[in-house]
Amino acid sequence: MANSKKSMHGAWSSRFTFILAATGSAVGLGNIWKFPYIVGENGGGAFVVVYLLCVVAIGIPIMMAETMLGRRGGQCPINTIKSLAKEAGAHENWKYLGWMGTIAGFLILSYYSVIAGWSLSYVLKAFTGSFSGESAAQINTLFVELKASQGEQIFWHTVFIGATMSVVAKGVEGGIEKAVRFLMPGLFVLLFLLVAYAMTTGYYTEGLKFLFQPDFSELTASSVLTAMGHAFFTLSLGMGAIMVYGSYLPKDISIAKTVFWIAGADTAVALLAGMAIFPIVFSNGLEASAGEGLIFQILPIAFGNMTGGWLFGVLFFVLLVFAALSSAISLIEPAVAWYIEKFKVARTQACITMGGVVWLMGLGTVFSFNSWADVTFFGLTFFGFLDFLTANLMLPLGGFLIAIFAGRVMHSHHAKEELDLKTDQHFEVWMFLVKYIAPAAVFLVFLGVLGVFG
Ligand code: TRP
């Protein structure tokens, strides 16, 4: 292999830990909180089909590209792109791709942490028995009160940022690996349990129909954009999170196999979450399009009414918090790695500075649910705007440029060497997807939203 030096930030101890960490990054609030509510807002099955298509045709090839670039570059995304551009004899302005990604991660974490804070507060609510025997309306009130309370949200947001930064401060081997080891299996078990509960509601088929029966008349250009943006969001693509994890990946590991595992697990979690949530929504006569509070208004109904619900409720929200934590660390790791490389400071100091700035920005999201509820940016609340800007614009644009970089700028023999696929045909398929399909798809969706197709 051309480049055998290890990243200065450390390395994974095995392929399995890379899978765990990258899956930990991918599986998070995006799967359990965001996926169901945007499916609900965008009409169900047709949206799910577009999302799945995007995962396969855009997400998987770009995830391979990011991993490959990261491993070859071996530094934070900004410096990785810079040095790979140099290696390819390309313009040094490519480094701005690394910059955009690092900033996107930063912005996402600022609101992600607030939602993770909601989950933390639900751990406590579950623990103190707040759901037990409550009606859907009473459970809704709990959520409305949380959103109205700045103090409560800021408190939990602070706890979550603190936890994230202390894991990141411990570095790759010490913090990140340990944190993700037991999460995924536990989360799967609880989701299966919730799906089993959903089967008892009498509305299971209706829920599945909503999720899997496409009605393409429901689909608008903007829901296609949301579906594509979510494919990037849920796989942690387009901003360098997977790139930075790839840079800790030992050289002798198959990227393709690893990526299929990650994308498969991520998709499974999202679909299971949907299968659990919609039957409960319909059986309580609630609206699937309730928005960002959906899981917080729906799942506690199940916990409050099933046998063993207290225990499962506590466990579920604890796991959700951990899933969010293992994603959050990947959102900020590129910025922290950059800060360390740039200012040659200790990890802890980099974490304190970065954590502080993200925390401050997060207050904007907290306020957008109460005192700034009527303040709009391009017709969206502060939270809505941040989410749209990052997930729907910055990530797809970043992914577009990553595909161009991996498919057209980098010398193809370098890409081939680094990906080390089984056969030349496999490589050709990948190349076709990153060179043509992924960039064209992103481009067309952007045009569609601008109304170019009428
Ligand atoms: N994929 C995570 C989720 O679904 C969120 C996330 C973590 C992310 N790292 C990312 C999104 C990098 C975009 C880019 O919850």
Side-chain angles (χ1 to χ4, degrees):
M1 293 282 149
N3 176 355
S4 62
K5 77 174 198 302
K6 262 187 159 185
S7 162
M8 66 177 276
H9 304 288
W12 306 114
S13 43
S14 70
R15 164 163 178 263
F16 186 59
T17 27
F18 172 75
I19 294 192
L20 277 177
T23 312
S25 165
V27 176
L29 297 174
N31 307 62
I32 295 169
W33 159 71
K34 193 172 182 192
F35 177 73
Y37 97 73
I38 57 178
V39 170
E41 282 180 342
N42 289 278
F47 178 88
V48 175
V49 169
V50 177
Y51 152 79
L52 290 174
L53 275 177
C54 290
V55 166
V56 173
I58 310 178
I60 290 177
I62 290 185
M63 193 184 246
M64 289 172 63
E66 267 201 39
T67 314
M68 181 269 284
L69 295 173
R71 184 161 74 179
R72 191 167 185 88
Q75 301 152 72
C76 77
I78 294 175
N79 291 331
T80 283
I81 296 279
K82 228 198 236 171
S83 68
L84 292 181
K86 205 166 173 193
E87 182 184 58
H91 202 282
E92 72 153 328
N93 278 350
W94 274 103
K95 69 175 183 232
Y96 293 113
L97 168 56
W99 273 105
M100 182 177 72
T102 304
I103 292 168
F106 216 83
L107 298 178
I108 294 174
L109 182 58
S110 80
Y111 71 80
Y112 203 84
S113 167
V114 175
I115 313 295
W118 292 356
S119 317
L120 271 169
S121 105
Y122 270 65
V123 171
L124 188 66
K125 291 191 206 313
F127 188 78
T128 56
S130 307
F131 311 143
S132 126
E134 300 289 284
S135 68
Q138 287 161 319
I139 286 190
N140 186 43
T141 308
L142 286 178
F143 181 70
V144 171
E145 283 170 0
L146 173 64
K147 260 176 56 166
S149 164
Q150 293 181 347
E152 198 179 344
Q153 290 185 88
I154 292 173
F155 174 75
W156 294 114
H157 164 57
T158 311
V159 172
F160 187 79
I161 288 286
T164 304
M165 297 328 291
S166 47
V167 175
V168 177
K170 293 212 174 85
V172 176
E173 295 94 348
I176 302 178
E177 282 198 19
K178 288 210 184 85
V180 293
R181 222 158 240 271
F182 302 100
L183 272 166
M184 288 310 130
L187 198 61
F188 262 105
V189 171
L190 276 178
L191 281 172
F192 276 113
L193 221 127
L194 279 171
V195 174
Y197 172 81
M199 286 176 181
T200 69
T201 57
Y203 284 77
Y204 189 60
T205 352
E206 196 174 325
L208 288 199
K209 267 194 193 147
F210 181 73
L211 195 58
F212 293 115
Q213 206 170 67
D215 171 2
F216 288 98
S217 68
E218 293 273 341
L219 215 55
T220 62
S222 96
S223 33
V224 173
L225 176 68
T226 306
M228 180 179 75
H230 188 65
F232 282 98
F233 186 92
T234 191
L235 294 173
S236 303
L237 297 178
M239 57 73 67
I242 295 298
M243 204 181 289
V244 82
Y245 278 8
S247 74
Y248 310 143
L249 186 65
K251 292 283 166 185
D252 53 348
I253 283 166
S254 156
I255 290 180
K257 236 199 286 170
T258 314
V259 162
F260 278 104
W261 263 104
I262 299 164
D266 184 76
T267 307
V269 172
L271 295 179
L272 282 172
M275 288 160 67
I277 285 163
F278 291 112
I280 308 176
V281 170
F282 298 134
S283 70
N284 286 282
L286 299 169
E287 290 298 328
S289 58
E292 75 274 339
L294 190 65
I295 67 158
F296 299 98
Q297 290 155 312
I298 298 304
L299 293 182
I301 303 176
F303 297 130
N305 294 289
M306 70 206 255
T307 8
W310 177 85
L311 180 65
F312 297 136
V314 174
L315 279 176
F316 178 82
F317 285 109
V318 167
L319 283 170
L320 186 61
V321 167
F322 276 102
L325 186 64
S326 62
S327 301
I329 51 191
S330 75
L331 284 165
I332 198 70
E333 176 66 18
V336 168
W338 168 79
Y339 198 89
I340 296 170
E341 286 168 28
K342 172 87 184 171
F343 298 108
K344 315 269 181 289
V345 295
R347 215 164 227 281
T348 315
Q349 194 194 326
C351 286
I352 292 172
T353 313
M354 292 287 146
V357 181
V358 173
W359 180 84
L360 261 182
M361 282 220 42
L363 299 184
T365 292
V366 170
F367 298 155
S368 76
F369 298 120
N370 35 68
S371 49
W372 293 0
D374 299 323
V375 181
T376 56
F377 303 80
F378 302 96
L380 298 162
T381 62
F382 184 79
F383 158 71
F385 174 70
L386 264 190
D387 181 38
F388 185 84
L389 175 70
T390 53
N392 291 12
L393 300 181
M394 292 173 91
L395 299 181
L397 182 60
F400 174 85
L401 293 171
I402 286 166
I404 300 280
F405 190 87
R408 293 165 188 267
V409 174
M410 195 170 170
H411 294 307
S412 79
H413 66 273
H414 286 157
K416 194 167 181 174
E417 173 186 289
E418 202 63 51
L419 278 177
D420 198 18
L421 295 175
K422 270 213 191 74
T423 68
D424 284 356
Q425 284 87 337
H426 285 106
F427 181 73
E428 297 303 325
V429 171
W430 175 80
M431 199 43 143
F432 182 73
L433 290 170
V434 290
K435 216 168 168 172
Y436 301 104
I437 301 300
V442 175
F443 189 68
L444 288 176
V445 174
F446 277 160
L447 285 187
V449 175
L450 293 174
V452 174
F453 309 124

